[in-house]
Amino acid sequence: MHNLIEPWEFLAGLAVFLYGMRLLENALNQFGGATFNRFLRDQSRSPIRGVMGGTVATMCLQSSSMVGLLVLAFVGAGLLEMRNALGIVFGANLGTTFTGWLVALLGFKLNLTGVAIQLVSVGGLAVAFVKRDTRLQQYGFLVLGLGFLLLGLDFMKSSIEQLADSVSPEIFRDYHPLIYLLGAAAFTALIQSSSATMMILLSAVSAGVLPLSTAVIMVIGADLGTTSTMLLGGMAGTAGRRQVALSHFIFNLVIVAFAFLFSTPLLSLLVDVLGIKDPMYALVSFHSTMNLVGVIVFLPFVDQFAQLLKKVIKEVSGETCQFIPLVPPDVTLAAREAIDNEVKRLLMKCMWLNLRCFRIDASDVFRSEETEEFVASMEANRLPFEEAYADIKHTEDELLRYISQVQQLVEDPDSVADISRYVHAVRDSVVAAKTVKDIRHNMMQLRHSEEQWILEMGHELRHTVRHLYRNALKILGKSDAHYTVEKIKSAQDMLDELRHSLEKTVHARSMAQEQPRIELSTLLNISRAVSISSDNILEACADVMGVDRNDGHPPPGSPAPATR
């Protein structure tokens, strides 16, 4: 009966520990999700700051997987550059070692059962009797999660201590170290928690069941196993997400290879030279050291590493949406940035399609460095006109659905109003494309006319559209409200001048009773359609930048655009 109880007590401890970790993660995410999102964004201006931000965030959230998934969301949203995202990934690896230190320093010194029962009692009562979805109930979940975590740790510790009476450490000398490494990697990947693996190893080392040399090999394997979370989270995402997931795997693989090959001298350095005799402290010191060495080795080459990842996993041309796929709507900061980038991209796709209709060289309009990647993507995947328009409609549908999901998760009225402006920008952009699409055959007639004044009319029209679209792209590349409105007014004046000029020309020909091959009403329709489409482009620019095009000030409820 005694032998039957041990494995079930261990499994129960593991289950309770993992459940406690889940409650703790969810509670911390509720409390500080937006705060940590902003913290990661603000601490990601450079790879070094990214390392520090990733370390601190992981120490606080107690989950490198959660930080890693946030990074995937930010990269998918276009919120993080690859090089800075790599810094956070490196830091998250270092931050996850904090859990081991906390348990080694306190977990085995306290009466875990007594503390755990008190925490579970207080937290459970708060969850059961406090009003739902309140901050006080979230505190209850936080305390309950911590209590379950300690209770699970105590169960595992107790079961392994019982096992110590019947298991000799000598049995672990009969197998090749690689077996232990792969076994720990598989176990960690299965339970999705390197912290749980570390707790088990600390318990086994403390009880004398597991030799320190074997535990070191297994903690190396745990670092490899923890990459599975990000690999699963990134494999179906955009190229940027896949690049970050691969970077996490390569980073850990290099660390694992180094630590495995030099485990004996590194452990000897810690125990014999630095005098860390306690096996638990030696184990967590080894874990921290191997990750610190990895950060020191990789950080100077972060730019080269980022370029290598981009070569290995290239952007896929023709993706309907590049920023919002698999960016969770509930990660509101990343989601809003994804919407911003996606709406800008949709607006540029509508402008690109219109330029095709006007037979204007798009590369003569999209000339800035910021649009190089967009131009390369569009040219590499040039769709027939009707298919390109269908792609725009599909993007519109995806965007509106996604924006609706984000709006339902945002409670602040100002934030809801801020997100609503993107709905108008999406619709204005698509209307601009549809309006030009409807006069496509008329534009063809205009180009093939044999009458000089009609050809000159078409030339004037294309010249104005070219200049107006250049202004629109300049607006999207700036973040100053007054600059935006000045450019819009300048473009609007040019548009009004074009419309008056075209109408004047048409009416003059009508008064002269000339009979051109193109009906004069058709020419007026072209003028009107170009005016409506261009006006929608300008309106979309104003909505995206969060300004009122009439006065240059952000509309009520809309914060100023973030500086890029």
Side-chain angles (χ1 to χ4, degrees):
M1 184 67 177
H2 176 72
N3 291 333
L4 183 62
I5 292 174
E6 286 173 6
W8 284 112
E9 184 178 3
F10 173 80
L11 290 175
L14 178 60
V16 172
F17 180 89
L18 292 174
Y19 182 64
M21 284 287 291
R22 179 66 59 86
L23 287 179
L24 201 59
E25 287 177 10
N26 290 340
L28 287 170
N29 196 34
Q30 288 291 327
F31 278 126
T35 302
F36 279 114
N37 290 352
R38 287 192 295 271
F39 174 79
L40 284 178
R41 180 194 63 184
D42 295 340
Q43 293 298 317
S44 306
R45 306 302 183 190
S46 69
I48 294 177
R49 291 184 65 178
V51 169
M52 294 187 291
T55 302
V56 173
T58 306
M59 289 170 60
C60 295
L61 292 176
Q62 289 294 291
S63 174
S64 61
S65 296
M66 180 185 290
V67 173
L69 293 175
L70 283 175
V71 172
L72 288 180
F74 290 159
V75 171
L79 186 63
L80 280 182
E81 292 183 21
M82 174 60 64
R83 62 193 298 271
N84 299 338
L86 293 179
I88 298 178
V89 170
F90 300 162
N93 255 51
L94 189 58
T96 197
T97 66
F98 176 75
T99 307
W101 279 106
L102 199 62
V103 172
L105 291 170
L106 298 176
F108 289 85
K109 313 298 181 185
L110 301 173
N111 176 8
L112 295 183
T113 302
V115 175
I117 288 176
Q118 293 172 19
L119 292 174
V120 170
S121 300
V122 173
L125 290 172
V127 170
F129 293 106
V130 172
K131 187 177 178 180
R132 295 185 62 182
D133 299 327
T134 61
R135 195 165 185 82
L136 190 57
Q137 190 188 53
Q138 291 303 321
Y139 277 117
F141 277 117
L142 184 70
V143 173
L144 183 63
L146 184 59
F148 278 142
L149 191 147
L150 293 178
L151 191 63
L153 178 60
D154 188 59
F155 282 173
M156 288 188 289
K157 177 185 171 186
S158 174
S159 66
I160 291 176
E161 285 175 349
Q162 294 176 37
L163 190 64
D165 297 332
S166 56
V167 175
S168 171
E170 295 298 321
I171 67 171
F172 294 100
R173 303 184 190 278
D174 298 335
Y175 300 96
H176 193 279
L178 194 59
I179 300 296
Y180 298 114
L181 186 146
L182 296 177
F187 179 75
T188 304
L190 180 65
I191 65 174
Q192 294 287 292
S193 174
S194 60
S195 295
T197 304
M198 175 58 85
M199 299 313 103
I200 294 170
L201 294 176
L202 285 172
S203 300
V205 168
S206 175
V209 173
L210 196 64
L212 178 59
S213 58
T214 303
V216 160
I217 299 298
M218 296 181 76
V219 83
I220 295 172
D223 261 30
L224 183 61
T226 197
T227 62
S228 63
T229 303
M230 282 188 67
L231 284 175
L232 290 173
M235 68 169 56
T238 59
R241 288 171 60 97
R242 295 195 298 274
Q243 289 162 2
V244 173
L246 180 62
S247 75
H248 186 235
F249 176 75
I250 293 175
F251 177 68
N252 279 275
L253 186 63
V254 171
I255 292 175
V256 165
F258 164 81
F260 184 70
L261 292 174
F262 297 98
S263 60
T264 301
L266 183 55
L267 187 59
S268 178
L269 173 66
L270 294 172
V271 175
D272 299 330
V273 178
L274 297 182
I276 305 176
K277 302 299 182 182
D278 188 308
M280 288 194 302
Y281 293 159
L283 182 60
V284 293
S285 296
F286 183 93
H287 191 207
S288 296
T289 302
M290 62 180 270
N291 281 284
L292 180 60
V293 169
V295 172
I296 293 172
V297 169
F298 269 82
L299 198 55
F301 306 102
V302 67
D303 289 322
Q304 293 86 340
F305 189 29
Q307 291 302 318
L308 175 63
L309 291 167
K310 289 179 180 179
K311 289 181 180 179
V312 173
I313 300 179
K314 297 180 180 180
E315 291 285 348
V316 178
S317 300
E319 292 177 342
T320 301
C321 288
Q322 288 191 350
F323 298 99
I324 64 172
L326 300 181
V327 177
D330 57 348
V331 185
T332 53
L333 181 65
R336 290 173 66 176
E337 189 73 15
I339 292 170
D340 185 83
N341 288 327
E342 203 70 76
V343 172
K344 287 179 180 177
R345 183 170 179 269
L346 173 63
L347 177 53
M348 290 194 294
K349 286 169 72 173
C350 292
M351 292 165 62
W352 183 281
L353 189 66
N354 286 356
L355 290 173
R356 285 178 61 177
C357 186
F358 294 129
R359 290 295 177 90
I360 299 173
D361 184 3
S363 62
D364 189 37
V365 176
F366 290 82
R367 304 187 294 187
S368 66
E369 293 182 3
E370 291 80 2
T371 60
E372 284 181 1
E373 186 176 339
F374 171 80
V375 170
S377 173
M378 296 300 289
E379 289 182 346
N381 193 62
R382 187 179 179 86
L383 298 172
F385 190 92
E386 292 297 334
E387 289 184 27
Y389 180 73
D391 174 71
I392 285 173
K393 291 293 293 180
H394 187 57
T395 302
E396 176 192 24
D397 183 62
E398 282 191 41
L399 256 172
L400 292 179
R401 289 175 184 273
Y402 187 82
I403 292 171
S404 177
Q405 291 177 345
V406 175
Q407 282 180 313
Q408 293 174 13
L409 296 169
V410 176
E411 298 179 356
D412 178 32
D414 288 344
S415 297
V416 173
D418 183 43
I419 295 172
S420 295
R421 62 186 171 87
Y422 289 111
V423 175
H424 300 296
V426 169
R427 289 173 177 166
D428 285 331
S429 299
V430 177
V431 167
K434 182 183 186 305
T435 304
V436 171
K437 171 180 171 290
D438 291 343
I439 61 165
R440 188 182 175 205
H441 63 290
N442 297 136
M443 291 301 301
M444 190 178 300
Q445 287 178 289
L446 201 68
R447 287 194 302 273
H448 292 100
S449 174
E450 296 177 356
E451 296 172 85
Q452 186 61 33
W453 70 272
I454 293 181
L455 293 176
E456 290 176 357
M457 181 178 173
H459 176 75
E460 184 181 3
L461 185 150
R462 285 191 294 273
H463 173 76
T464 301
V465 169
R466 183 187 295 110
H467 191 79
L468 186 144
Y469 280 20
R470 285 175 182 168
N471 275 354
L473 290 173
K474 290 177 181 177
I475 290 169
L476 297 179
K478 295 283 186 179
S479 59
D480 182 80
H482 294 290
Y483 175 90
T484 298
V485 173
E486 286 177 6
K487 282 293 181 184
I488 288 178
K489 285 183 177 179
S490 174
Q492 186 66 60
D493 290 341
M494 178 174 286
L495 190 59
D496 290 341
E497 184 179 342
L498 171 69
R499 184 172 61 250
H500 293 151
S501 174
L502 295 182
E503 290 177 356
K504 182 179 179 181
T505 300
V506 171
H507 284 301
R509 296 292 173 174
S510 175
M511 293 297 293
Q513 296 185 343
E514 294 186 14
Q515 296 296 325
R517 295 187 180 181
I518 300 178
E519 294 183 2
L520 294 178
S521 60
T522 299
L523 296 176
L524 289 175
N525 284 339
I526 291 174
S527 174
R528 182 172 179 273
V530 171
S531 179
I532 292 173
S533 175
S534 299
D535 192 68
N536 276 285
I537 292 291
L538 296 178
E539 192 66 43
C541 287
D543 287 329
V544 167
M545 303 312 294
V547 301
D548 185 340
R549 60 188 289 188
N550 297 314
D551 58 20
H553 299 290
S558 297
T563 301
R564 302 237 184 276

